Amino acid sequence: AEREQGITIDVAYRFFQTEKRSFIIADTPGHERYTRNMVSGASTADLALILLDARGGIVDQSRRHASLSALLGIKHVVACVNKMDLVDWDEDRFREIESEFADLAERLDIPDARVIPIAALHGDNVVDRSDASPWYDGPLLLEHLEQVEVRGDPARDALRLPVQWTIRPRGGRDDERTYAGQLAGGTLEVGDAVTVLPAGAHSTIAAIETFEGTRKEAVPPLSVAVRLADDLDVGRGDLICSPEHAPVAASEIDATVAWMGEVELRAGARYALKHTTRTVRATVQAVHSKLDMTTLEDRPAPARLKLNDIGRVTLRTSAPVLADRYADNRITGAFILIDEHSNDTVGAGMVEETRERERAEQARRDVTWHDSELERDSRWKALGHRGATVWLTGLPASGKSTIAAALERRLVEEGRPAYLLDGDNVRHGLSDDLGFEPGERSEHIRRVAHVARLLADAGVVAVVSLVSPMEADRRLARELHDAAGLDFHEVFVSTPVEECERRDPKGLYARARAGKLPGFTGVDAPYEAPERPDFEFDTAREDGDDAVARLRDALAV
C-alpha cells in the first residue's frame, strides 16, 4: 500500500550503532491521515529529525511534525534541509529556512532546535563533511546525534516507581516480599524514605535488586525489585515515591488526547484508562477543544474527536490515578484509553492537570440482580395494563414538557398508570450530585433511562421529558428497554430553534446569548436530532392535543 500511494503509512523501526551510541530510528508517516501512527512512533523518542526539501522549505506538513514533536515532549529537534544539491548549495536559501525554523521552534517552545544542510543521496554532511558547503561549520548529522545529551540529571526529578509485580522468593520467609517495576523518575538508594500510594503508607528502602545483582542505588530507566523495611500491603498499580514530592491521587484529569479510534470520542463515553501499571475506568466529562494542525491553534468546543484528531478533554476516573504533568514526566504523565468491548487502544493521552474529587463514602459490596417472584405477564394481566416508556427529546422550550404532562394526565384519567420523569425534577433528588458538563449530563440521562425501565417493567407508562441532545445517550436508553423486552417510543419534538428562543419561558436562551450560560443546547452546544424517531411533532405547526392523541393510541396497542 505504501508503494502504491507513495507515502509512509505505518511506523518502521531500524536499528544501528556506532562506537559511541546505539540508535533506534522510528520512521513515521507524515500524512495527516496517519497522525496516530506518528504519535505512536514519537511517544518514546528522545530526538526528532524533520526532513525539509530545500526547494519547498517549511510546509504545512513540516509545521505539523514540529508541533506534534513539541506536544509529545521531544526537547531536541533537528531540521535536515535535504536536497541542497538541487539548489546548488545556496547558502542564502539555507539561511532563510534556518531563520524560519528557528521562529517556529521558539513559537512551539522547543528548547533545542538545530538546522543542518544535507544531500542524503550522496551522504553530504550526514556522516562526512561536504566540500560543497564550506560556509557551514556546524556539526554533521551523525556527529550531533552521537553528542546530544538526551537525558537530564535523574536526581532533579521526583522518585517514581510504578509497581508491576510482587515477588515472593521460593523457600524464603513469608515477609520477604520485593516489589518489581521500572524506575520512571528520580534516584533510588538503600535507606531512602518512601511513600506507597494510594494507601499513603510510609517505609524505607531496605534493598535494591536487579537482574545483574544487588546494588546500592538505581536510576531510570533501570528495572528493579525493591524490598521495604516494613511489611506493607503493596500490589500491582501502586506507586512508590518520595514523601516530599508525592503526586495527587486524582480522580479528574485534564489532558490532551490523540484519538486513534474509528468510533468518535464524545462526552459521556466510557473507557478503560491504563496509566503505567494501573488500569481504571474513565468517563469523558467534556471535550474542550481540538488542535488545528495547520495553524497550531485550538478550535473551541468540538462535539467529538474523530480519527487522528488531537484535542483537550476532561476525564473522571472510577479510582485514583497517580499521575504527573506530562511536561514533568513523560512516563507518569502519559496514559492510553482502551475500548473495553474490542480491547483496542483508541486514544493516547498527555496529562495537563490532575485534581482530587470528594467522594461519598460507600461500603464495598457485591451487587446481584434479583428477579421478582411475580412474572411480568402475570403482573400486567392482574393490572390490566402494559408498561412502556415514551421518551420525548428536543431543544429547550420546544414543547416536550407540555406534551409529556398532557399525555400523563390523559392516561391517568383513563385509568392507566403513568408517571412523568421530567429532567429538572429528577435533578432535585436522584441526580442532585450532577452538574451540566457533557459527561455529567450523560450520566443524568443514563440514570433516568434505568428508572424509566423499572417503571415500565412495573406496568407503568414512564413519560420522559429530557433534552437528551446526544444520539448515543438516547440509543443507550432504547437498548436498555430492548434488552428487557419493553416497549420504547422515541418522540422527537422538532420545533425550530427560532421558535424555541421566541418562547424562552425561563429566559435561558437570552442568558446563553449573553455568555452567562455556557454550553447551552441550541446556542453553543450541539443537538443531534434523531434520524428515525418513532414520532415527530413540530409544536410551531401542530396542535399539542393531536400529538397526545397519537401517542395515546400507540400505547393502546
Side-chain angles (χ1 to χ4, degrees):
E2 291 183 339
R3 285 193 295 269
E4 289 173 358
Q5 299 183 46
I7 60 175
T8 303
I9 295 176
D10 207 351
V11 183
Y13 291 94
R14 296 291 182 270
F15 308 85
F16 75 95
Q17 66 180 38
T18 67
E19 293 180 356
K20 298 182 178 180
R21 225 173 210 173
S22 297
F23 297 87
I24 303 174
I25 296 179
D27 180 17
T28 62
H31 196 281
E32 189 173 10
R33 279 183 57 197
Y34 304 108
T35 297
R36 61 176 173 176
N37 301 67
M38 180 176 175
V39 169
S40 176
S43 61
T44 55
D46 297 306
L47 181 146
L49 295 176
I50 299 176
L51 288 176
L52 307 176
D53 189 321
R55 297 166 298 177
I58 297 177
V59 296
D60 285 346
Q61 184 166 282
S62 311
R63 294 186 182 91
R64 184 166 67 252
H65 295 168
S67 177
L68 285 171
S69 299
L71 185 67
L72 289 161
I74 300 177
K75 300 186 186 318
H76 308 277
V77 179
V78 178
C80 297
V81 184
N82 193 24
K83 302 182 181 179
M84 283 296 297
D85 53 321
L86 298 183
V87 295
D88 297 324
W89 289 92
D90 184 350
E91 181 181 3
D92 291 339
R93 177 57 178 156
F94 172 75
R95 298 303 179 191
E96 179 185 350
I97 297 174
E98 182 181 44
S99 175
E100 188 177 352
F101 188 79
D103 291 341
L104 177 63
E106 183 178 0
R107 180 180 175 190
L108 294 174
D109 198 23
I110 298 173
D112 177 27
R114 291 177 178 268
V115 186
I116 301 176
I118 66 172
L121 180 63
H122 308 293
D124 294 70
N125 291 339
V126 178
V127 177
D128 298 314
R129 191 167 297 278
S130 174
D131 294 334
S133 57
W135 42 263
Y136 176 70
D137 58 1
L140 303 176
L141 178 57
L142 184 58
E143 180 184 343
H144 177 67
L145 295 182
E146 288 180 325
Q147 294 176 353
V148 65
E149 185 59 55
V150 294
R151 297 192 186 279
D153 181 5
R156 295 170 53 189
D157 300 327
L159 172 63
R160 297 290 185 266
L161 176 59
V163 177
Q164 184 174 358
W165 200 256
T166 299
I167 302 173
R168 297 178 64 182
R170 293 182 180 178
R173 301 203 320 266
D174 187 58
D175 60 349
E176 286 186 343
R177 291 189 297 272
T178 57
Y179 309 105
Q182 185 178 35
L183 270 171
T187 58
L188 191 64
E189 294 186 30
V190 174
D192 281 352
V194 295
T195 298
V196 180
L197 297 177
H202 300 282
S203 185
T204 57
I205 301 296
I208 302 173
E209 299 174 9
T210 69
F211 182 76
E212 291 80 13
T214 303
R215 57 193 302 164
K216 294 291 185 181
E217 63 178 6
V219 297
L222 195 64
S223 293
V224 298
V226 301
R227 182 160 52 86
L228 301 179
D230 301 281
D231 185 15
L232 303 179
D233 181 13
V234 183
R236 178 180 175 86
D238 289 349
L239 180 73
I240 297 175
C241 62
S242 54
E244 300 83 7
H245 302 99
V248 173
S251 55
E252 279 195 349
I253 298 173
D254 293 336
T256 297
V257 171
W259 192 243
M260 305 175 176
E262 299 290 343
V263 178
E264 299 171 346
L265 177 144
R266 61 173 182 83
R270 296 175 179 83
Y271 303 96
L273 184 151
K274 188 175 187 304
H275 172 261
T276 61
T277 59
R278 188 176 182 84
T279 301
V280 300
R281 285 190 170 89
T283 300
V284 182
Q285 290 298 108
V287 181
H288 302 294
S289 62
K290 184 178 83 168
L291 183 65
D292 186 322
M293 297 307 299
T294 301
T295 64
L296 311 182
E297 296 177 349
D298 284 335
R299 293 178 179 175
R304 300 167 183 247
L305 293 183
K306 300 178 181 179
L307 175 66
N308 291 315
D309 281 348
I310 296 177
R312 290 181 171 84
V313 305
T314 295
L315 303 170
R316 180 169 294 169
T317 60
S318 60
V321 174
L322 310 169
D324 295 294
R325 293 172 62 246
Y326 187 79
D328 298 330
N329 190 312
R330 291 178 68 189
I331 298 176
T332 57
F335 61 87
I336 60 172
L337 295 175
I338 302 169
D339 185 319
E340 293 187 285
H341 299 292
S342 65
N343 209 36
D344 290 338
T345 297
V346 292
M350 291 148 279
V351 176
E352 294 181 357
E353 185 180 347
T354 61
R355 290 184 295 277
E356 292 184 85
R357 182 170 179 265
E358 295 295 329
R359 295 178 180 271
E361 291 294 328
Q362 289 185 338
R364 184 175 180 178
R365 62 188 185 276
D366 294 325
V367 181
T368 305
W369 179 270
H370 294 278
D371 292 321
S372 171
E373 295 183 2
L374 180 61
E375 293 184 355
R376 180 188 295 165
D377 289 342
S378 299
R379 180 195 303 276
W380 287 2
K381 185 176 181 181
L383 294 173
H385 304 290
R386 291 173 55 85
T389 291
V390 179
W391 190 284
L392 293 99
T393 175
L395 293 171
S398 60
K400 301 182 302 299
S401 297
T402 301
I403 295 174
L407 177 62
E408 178 192 37
R409 186 185 311 109
R410 174 80 173 269
L411 292 172
V412 172
E413 288 174 350
E414 293 178 354
R416 188 167 183 179
Y419 194 83
L420 171 60
L421 290 173
D422 183 83
D424 285 354
N425 292 353
V426 176
R427 283 187 176 276
H428 279 277
L430 185 65
S431 296
D432 65 350
D433 61 326
L434 300 177
F436 289 88
E437 293 180 349
E440 293 185 314
R441 293 186 68 171
S442 182
E443 171 62 15
H444 171 55
I445 294 166
R446 187 190 70 84
R447 294 180 186 182
V448 173
H450 277 277
V451 172
R453 183 179 71 86
L454 292 173
L455 288 174
D457 186 53
V460 176
V461 176
V463 183
V464 178
S465 174
L466 274 177
V467 174
S468 45
M470 308 308 287
E471 186 274 336
D473 294 329
R474 300 192 300 267
R475 183 174 65 248
L476 171 66
R478 182 183 289 276
E479 289 172 351
L480 284 173
H481 287 73
D482 289 346
L486 295 165
D487 292 339
F488 183 88
H489 305 280
E490 184 179 46
V491 182
F492 177 31
V493 185
S494 58
T495 309
V497 64
E498 296 79 13
E499 175 63 17
C500 298
E501 190 165 357
R502 186 192 64 79
R503 297 171 181 174
D504 202 11
K506 301 178 183 179
L508 300 180
Y509 282 92
R511 290 173 59 196
R513 296 290 184 195
K516 299 178 180 178
L517 197 62
F520 185 75
T521 306
V523 176
D524 59 354
Y527 178 82
E528 297 178 354
E531 294 182 0
R532 292 184 295 275
D534 300 300
F535 296 92
E536 181 174 350
F537 304 112
D538 178 356
T539 60
R541 297 186 293 105
E542 301 177 64
D543 186 87
D545 291 338
D546 293 339
V548 170
R550 286 178 58 191
L551 292 174
R552 182 264 178 199
D553 292 343
L555 292 168
V557 177

